[in-house]
């Protein structure tokens, strides 16, 4: 059952996310039919899938919530802000119930009290809640018979495939769930395919069921009961009075018609009469067509045939449907990670083949190696694209967080997400989630003023917080900005001096002072709240971002707001690199960051005159001598080169000895021994078996900027 439970958890998480998005959208943009529909479908789906697993507590809770949402959808109940808050609590509670159910844990007293309290609130919101009587199970048939006709009788036919038991699902749970959607009027177990005892295989399934079901549910609602076993059963669902479908079903299985009649299934006896009527109509139609064709000119025969035959086909119920459709396939992320690791090893092995082909000067082998390299690059790109997701799907959950935090601190916030269509590695999105959440909370708690303060400053009562994402120079940029009070330069510096982080005699620029808030234990909050103020978190935020090979910068202006800029790599596994050599060591520079390569000729050297910069097209370009930076011995080289790299708003030139060209780079960690080497983010294995170090361009930039200052 582990695989099925994983699918259940994934499905519930997806539905709860959709539910939360719909509720937050209602708070921001008002109530509309689309949001109400999304809300109802999410709760309905959760109830259905939970029922299949026998998680009755979830089903009972979701059933009441679904009833209320059904009344909202039908216009019987007006969805108020109070109800939206209640449904947000219901969403959180459903998540809690799901966690307890899948872990097979007993519901504790606190959760049970919460469950009972929420159910009472939901029931009180139902129309005529005070006067509505509970219908006993034995009285249900009488009430259904007196219904206004909205209920329908469905015929559900399903056969368990031979491998059904391998799915781990319990057919009892499936059948018992019908009673939650309506009334089972009749059932028939089909056991005609069960073999003799000496031939039976206890691991295989041989039975099926015919069910007459009275409910106001739709075809899709009933089909959802079988959602988790849809590939393990042969299923047909149709209205019981649909004689054409009923006849087709009976014709598929010998003796089924007699069994259904014997079991008291309604409408089956109408099949014979319907068949006779249809044959009579078909005969009359055919004779009519034949008579018309015989009395017409030959040239009109084809015309009559093409005009009349469709109507005959329709009379027989013969229609063609295009059943082809696109579908999504859910794959465990561990399988994709394993595939990427295998491709990484193939890239390294192919590099060895290419190296060997060059050494042997074998043209045919070199050509094959080039073709293989191209194919590997296409496969790599395709697999990496599978891991790429739009950040908007994950960032939408921050709307709820912003909304909750704003209410706790009594502030009004206008929250915007820009660039949600930007794609980023799923693993990176998940790992950046917590740092972003912490920074958003800080922006609201520390950055945005209270409505009264904003009014006195001539600002609108609502504070603006924006989460913006966009690609730039081979990286993904995430910006969190607000129009609040901004960071207090003097207050941060005073706290840092008092904490011993900096000396009073140090001369620091504004950005350096702002970056001090990433120091452990430093907080400028005047009081500790339930949200922030203890000086814990921003240091962790920076560490988590750097662990993703990213950087974070701060820009702020007192009274106008703050801007946090995070830069992250597109992926963490394989990159397109540029292979260079300096001294006796080979290095990889991320290809997306390279702007150009130029030769460091005599004129440039004369222009430098001992300084670490050159004039590049009337622009000053700082230089990093890689040999000196890593204390490499000077070696003889035919020429020296400058690789111009860009990261964000900064550019530097890297002085190297040799350029080898593009190289598919599998990023390998270097271990703790090399973790503190500045300017190196990892290593890779070349075709020759040598190790090449991968440059950490942001760290090199940071070093050069400090050197210039």
């Amino acid at each position: 059952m582990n695989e099925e439970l994983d699918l259940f958890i994934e499905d519930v998480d997806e539905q709860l996310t959709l539910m939360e998005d719909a509720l937050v959208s209602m708070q921001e943009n008002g109530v509309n039919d689309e949001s109400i529909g999304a809300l109802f479908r999410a709760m309905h789906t959760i109830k259905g899938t939970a029922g299949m697993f026998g998680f009755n507590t979830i089903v009972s809770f979701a059933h009441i919530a679904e009833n209320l949402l059904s009344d909202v959808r039908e216009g019987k109940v007006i969805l108020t802000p109070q109800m939206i808050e209640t449904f947000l609590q219901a969403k959180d509670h459903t998540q809690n119930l799901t966690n307890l159910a899948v872990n097979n844990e007993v519901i504790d007293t606190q959760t049970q009290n919460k469950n009972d309290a929420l159910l009472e609130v939901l029931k009180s919101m139902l129309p005529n809640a005070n006067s509505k009587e509970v219908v006993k199970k034995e009285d249900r048939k009488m009430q259904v018979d007196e219904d206004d006709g909205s209920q329908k009788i469905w015929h559900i036919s399903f056969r368990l495939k031979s491998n059904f038991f391998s799915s781990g699902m319990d057919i009892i749970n499936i059948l018992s769930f019908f009673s939650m959607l309506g009334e089972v009027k009749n059932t028939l177990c089909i056991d005609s395919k069960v073999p003799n005892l000496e031939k039976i295989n206890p691991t295989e399934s041989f039975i099926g069921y015919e069910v007459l079901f009275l409910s106001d549910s739709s075809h899709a609602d009933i089909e959802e009961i079988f959602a988790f076993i849809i590939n393990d059963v042969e299923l047909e669902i149709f209205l019981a009075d649909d004689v054409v479908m009923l006849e087709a079903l009976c014709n598929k299985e010998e003796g089924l018609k007699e069994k259904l009649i014997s079991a008291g299934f309604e409408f089956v006896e109408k099949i014979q009469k319907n068949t006779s009527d249809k044959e009579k109509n078909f005969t009359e139609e055919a004779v009519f067509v034949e008579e018309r064709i015989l009395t017409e000119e030959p040239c009109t025969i084809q015309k009559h045939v093409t005009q009349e035959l469709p109507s005959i086909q329709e009379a027989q119920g013969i229609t063609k449907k295009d059943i082809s459709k696109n579908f999504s396939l859910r794959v465990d992320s561990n399988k994709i990670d394993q595939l990427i690791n295998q491709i990484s090893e193939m890239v390294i092995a192919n590099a060895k083949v290419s190296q060997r082909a060059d050494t042997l000067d074998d043209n045919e082998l070199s050509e094959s190696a080039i073709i293989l390299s191209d194919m590997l690059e296409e496969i790599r790109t395709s697999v990496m694209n599978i891991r790429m997701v739009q950040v908007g799907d994950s960032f939408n959950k921050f709307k709820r967080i912003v909304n909750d935090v704003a209410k706790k601190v009594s502030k009004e916030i206008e929250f915007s997400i820009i660039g949600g269509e930007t794609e980023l590695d799923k693993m990176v999105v998940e790992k950046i989630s917590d740092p972003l959440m912490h920074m958003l909370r800080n922006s609201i708690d520390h950055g945005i003023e209270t409505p009264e303060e904003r009014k006195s400053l001539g600002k609108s009562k609502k504070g603006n917080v924006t989460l913006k994402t966009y690609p730039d120079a081979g990286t993904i940029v995430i910006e969190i900005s607000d129009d609040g009070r901004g960071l207090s330069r003097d207050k941060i510096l005073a706290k840092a001096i008092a904490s011993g982080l900096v000396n009073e005699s140090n001369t620091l620029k504004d950005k350096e002072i702002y970056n001090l808030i990433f120091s452990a234990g430093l907080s400028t909050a005047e009081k500790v709240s339930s949200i922030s103020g203890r000086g814990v978190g921003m240091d962790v935020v920076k560490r988590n971002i750097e662990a993703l090979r990213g950087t974070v910068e701060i820009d702020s202006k007192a009274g106008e707001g703050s801007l946090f800029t995070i830069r992250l790599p597109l992926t963490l596994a394989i990159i397109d690199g540029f292979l260079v050599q300096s001294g006796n060591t080979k290095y990889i520079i991320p290809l997306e960051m390279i702007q150009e390569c130029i030769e460091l000729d005599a004129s440039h050297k004369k222009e430098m005159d001992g300084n670490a910069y050159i004039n590049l097209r009337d622009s000053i370009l700082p230089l990093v001598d890689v040999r000196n930076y890593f204390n490499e011995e000077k070696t003889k080289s035919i020429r020296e080169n400058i690789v111009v790299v860009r990261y964000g708003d900064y550019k530097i030139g890297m002085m190297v000895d040799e350029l080898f060209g593009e190289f598919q780079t599998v990023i390998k960690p270097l271990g703790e021994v090399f973790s503190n080497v500045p300017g190196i983010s990892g290593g890779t294995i070349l075709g020759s078996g040598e190790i090449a170090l991968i440059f950490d361009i942001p760290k090199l930039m940071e070093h050069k900027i400090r050197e210039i200052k």
Side-chain angles (χ1 to χ4, degrees):
M1 284 289 287
N2 287 337
E3 186 175 348
E4 283 72 24
L5 273 177
D6 288 341
L7 287 173
F8 170 72
I9 294 167
E10 187 177 345
D11 190 59
V12 170
D13 286 344
E14 182 180 340
Q15 297 304 324
L16 289 176
T17 299
L18 292 172
M19 185 176 176
E20 187 174 78
D21 290 346
L23 289 166
V24 173
S25 175
M26 289 176 186
Q27 288 180 326
E28 293 179 347
N29 309 313
V31 178
N32 56 59
D33 292 341
E34 185 178 347
S35 296
I36 292 172
L39 200 57
F40 173 81
R41 287 191 298 274
M43 189 54 73
H44 175 74
T45 302
I46 290 170
K47 186 187 80 169
T49 51
M52 290 169 53
F53 284 87
F55 297 148
N56 295 328
T57 306
I58 301 174
V59 173
S60 300
F61 180 79
H63 183 63
I64 300 299
E66 181 195 28
N67 285 346
L68 179 55
L69 287 168
S70 179
D71 288 333
V72 170
R73 192 170 64 161
E74 293 170 10
K76 298 176 183 177
V77 176
I78 303 297
L79 194 64
T80 64
Q82 179 191 354
M83 289 172 67
I84 292 174
E85 284 296 329
T86 301
F87 277 119
L88 282 169
Q89 294 177 37
K91 174 262 172 186
D92 294 337
H93 181 63
T94 305
Q95 181 72 72
N96 193 20
L97 290 178
T98 302
N99 294 338
L100 292 171
V102 297
N103 292 315
N104 202 23
E105 296 179 12
V106 179
I107 296 177
D108 56 88
T109 305
Q110 184 179 355
T111 304
Q112 187 62 56
N113 292 340
K114 176 76 171 177
N115 186 79
D116 296 342
L118 271 173
L119 281 176
E120 286 302 316
V121 173
L122 291 169
K123 288 176 182 177
S124 69
M125 293 174 177
L126 287 165
N128 304 320
N130 297 327
S131 60
K132 205 167 191 178
E133 296 181 2
V134 178
V135 180
K136 294 181 181 178
K137 191 173 182 179
E138 56 268 25
D139 296 333
R140 179 170 175 81
K141 187 177 186 302
M142 184 181 296
Q143 186 198 40
V144 167
D145 290 342
E146 296 172 358
D147 195 81
D148 60 2
S150 62
Q151 303 234 348
K152 300 178 285 290
I153 299 178
W154 293 91
H155 189 123
I156 298 118
S157 173
F158 61 98
R159 303 288 181 269
L160 307 184
K161 292 183 179 179
S162 60
N163 64 343
F164 174 80
F165 294 131
S166 64
S167 70
M169 298 301 296
D170 187 351
I171 191 62
I172 302 300
N173 286 336
I174 303 296
L175 293 172
S176 64
F177 189 65
F178 277 102
S179 61
M180 297 180 184
L181 292 182
E183 179 189 0
V184 176
K185 294 179 71 68
N186 205 346
T187 58
L188 174 64
C189 179
I190 305 298
D191 56 4
S192 55
K193 292 186 178 180
V194 178
N196 295 330
L197 189 61
E198 61 271 13
K199 295 182 179 179
I200 198 168
N201 183 346
T203 65
E204 293 184 8
S205 174
F206 304 96
I207 62 173
Y209 290 90
E210 301 293 329
V211 180
L212 271 188
F213 182 53
L214 184 64
S215 175
D216 59 0
S217 301
S218 67
H219 184 287
D221 294 337
I222 298 171
E223 193 174 41
E224 280 186 12
I225 297 175
F226 299 88
F228 276 85
I229 59 169
I230 196 69
N231 295 321
D232 302 306
V233 297
E234 295 174 3
L235 175 67
E236 290 190 54
I237 302 169
F238 53 88
L239 289 172
D241 60 356
D242 188 338
V243 183
V244 174
M245 291 295 295
L246 192 57
E247 181 183 2
L249 176 68
C250 291
N251 290 337
K252 284 171 62 177
E253 196 167 326
E254 186 178 354
L256 179 59
K257 177 182 173 183
E258 289 72 21
K259 290 179 182 178
L260 290 172
I261 292 174
S262 178
F265 273 64
E266 302 175 50
F267 306 108
V268 182
E269 293 180 351
K270 294 183 179 181
I271 291 178
Q272 187 64 40
K273 182 179 183 304
N274 181 70
T275 303
S276 301
D277 292 344
K278 223 170 25 168
E279 287 175 353
K280 180 182 177 183
N281 291 337
F282 174 71
T283 304
E284 290 176 352
E285 186 80 29
V287 170
F288 173 70
V289 173
E290 184 181 6
E291 287 177 349
R292 288 186 61 185
I293 290 176
L294 291 173
T295 57
E296 294 283 353
E297 294 295 329
C299 63
T300 62
I301 291 178
Q302 180 64 36
K303 178 180 176 182
H304 283 304
V305 170
T306 56
Q307 286 179 340
E308 302 297 345
L309 280 181
S311 64
I312 298 174
Q313 289 180 335
E314 288 171 10
Q316 298 178 84
I318 302 173
T319 57
K320 292 184 179 180
K321 292 182 180 179
D322 182 12
I323 60 172
S324 64
K325 58 179 181 179
N326 294 324
F327 62 92
S328 297
L329 182 65
R330 289 182 176 177
V331 180
D332 188 341
S333 60
N334 290 328
K335 293 181 179 179
I336 298 176
D337 293 340
Q338 183 181 2
L339 182 58
I340 289 174
N341 290 335
Q342 290 171 339
I343 292 172
S344 300
E345 294 304 320
M346 289 174 67
V347 168
I348 294 171
N350 183 63
K352 292 181 180 179
V353 173
S354 299
Q355 179 81 19
R356 185 63 176 166
D358 292 341
T359 303
L360 296 174
D361 196 20
D362 188 327
N363 292 333
E364 289 188 8
L365 184 58
S366 295
E367 185 178 350
S368 298
I370 291 170
I371 293 172
L372 185 58
S373 297
D374 292 340
M375 292 172 65
L376 276 174
E377 187 168 355
E378 288 179 12
I379 295 172
R380 182 205 72 177
T381 302
S382 299
V383 174
M384 297 304 291
N385 283 338
I386 294 174
R387 285 243 303 239
M388 302 296 278
V389 296
Q390 291 191 351
V391 296
D393 296 336
S394 298
F395 286 0
N396 280 334
K397 67 181 179 182
F398 294 131
K399 292 180 179 180
R400 168 84 184 280
I401 294 167
V402 169
N403 182 60
D404 290 347
V405 173
K407 286 183 178 177
K408 281 185 181 179
V409 296
S410 302
K411 294 179 181 178
E412 297 180 22
I413 303 295
E414 183 75 33
F415 180 56
S416 305
I417 296 177
I418 301 173
E421 69 282 356
T422 304
E423 291 189 337
L424 187 58
D425 192 309
K426 176 68 172 174
M427 185 186 297
V428 178
V429 172
E430 290 176 353
K431 290 185 177 181
I432 199 64
S433 179
D434 285 344
L436 290 179
M437 182 171 63
H438 190 89
M439 295 169 78
L440 284 168
R441 283 175 171 167
N442 272 7
S443 289
I444 298 166
D445 194 22
H446 295 323
I448 301 295
E449 309 93 339
T450 63
E452 294 76 18
E453 288 176 322
R454 292 181 67 85
K455 189 175 180 181
S456 66
L457 293 168
K459 296 181 177 181
S460 63
K461 290 175 67 177
K462 268 191 175 183
N464 292 298
V465 177
T466 302
L467 180 60
K468 183 179 180 181
T469 313
Y470 59 92
D472 180 56
T475 64
I476 292 295
V477 180
I478 303 174
E479 294 180 350
I480 298 175
S481 60
D482 64 71
D483 65 346
R485 59 173 61 92
L487 296 174
S488 174
R489 177 189 184 282
D490 297 335
K491 191 179 287 187
I492 295 172
L493 184 58
K495 284 275 186 179
I497 292 172
S499 304
L501 293 172
V502 295
N503 294 323
E504 194 170 352
S505 58
N506 285 0
T507 303
L508 300 175
K509 295 195 175 183
D510 287 353
K511 277 203 172 184
E512 292 174 314
I513 294 172
Y514 295 146
N515 281 324
L516 290 172
I517 69 170
F518 292 115
S519 303
L522 183 70
S523 175
T524 58
E526 296 177 359
K527 61 179 181 179
V528 174
S529 69
S530 60
I531 299 169
S532 57
R534 292 181 172 82
V536 178
M538 291 304 282
D539 59 320
V540 178
V541 165
K542 187 174 184 182
R543 281 205 305 272
N544 288 347
I545 292 171
E546 289 179 343
L548 296 170
R549 302 202 321 273
T551 60
V552 56
E553 293 181 353
I554 306 171
D555 195 11
S556 183
K557 196 167 184 179
E560 295 185 14
S562 302
L563 172 65
F564 290 79
T565 304
I566 301 169
R567 288 183 177 273
L568 297 167
L570 285 171
T571 183
L572 304 177
I574 306 175
I575 62 170
D576 288 320
F578 191 80
L579 183 62
V580 300
Q581 182 167 333
S582 185
N584 295 314
T585 308
K586 290 185 171 67
Y587 300 92
I588 296 288
I589 303 173
L591 191 62
E592 293 90 348
M593 297 182 184
I594 297 178
Q595 281 205 322
E596 60 180 310
C597 298
I598 60 175
E599 183 181 356
L600 184 63
D601 55 23
S603 62
H604 283 135
K605 290 179 180 179
K606 183 178 179 181
E607 188 179 52
M608 289 170 62
D609 192 24
N611 297 311
Y613 57 83
I614 62 171
N615 186 331
L616 181 63
R617 293 186 291 276
D618 298 327
S619 178
I620 300 299
L621 179 71
L623 300 177
V624 174
D625 190 331
V626 176
R627 249 194 331 254
N628 292 339
Y629 186 84
F630 291 109
N631 296 318
E632 284 266 11
E633 292 182 7
K634 191 167 184 178
T635 57
K636 272 191 173 184
S637 58
I638 300 173
R639 53 181 273 180
E640 291 180 285
N641 304 276
I642 298 175
V643 181
V644 182
V645 294
R646 175 176 172 265
Y647 185 77
D649 297 328
Y650 300 102
K651 284 197 302 186
I652 61 170
M654 301 178 66
M655 296 169 59
V656 298
D657 296 333
E658 293 188 59
L659 308 175
F660 294 102
E662 294 183 29
F663 185 82
Q664 285 191 56
T665 306
V666 179
I667 301 172
K668 298 284 186 181
L670 293 175
E672 293 184 7
V673 176
F674 298 92
S675 60
N676 293 320
V677 176
I680 298 296
S681 61
T684 191
I685 302 172
L686 303 177
S688 61
E690 295 176 274
I691 301 295
L693 301 177
I694 302 171
F695 277 125
D696 187 341
I697 299 300
K699 288 291 183 184
L700 283 174
M701 295 270 191
E702 190 178 317
H703 165 80
K704 192 62 185 177
I705 291 167
R706 283 201 305 267
E707 187 182 84
I708 294 171
K709 292 177 180 178

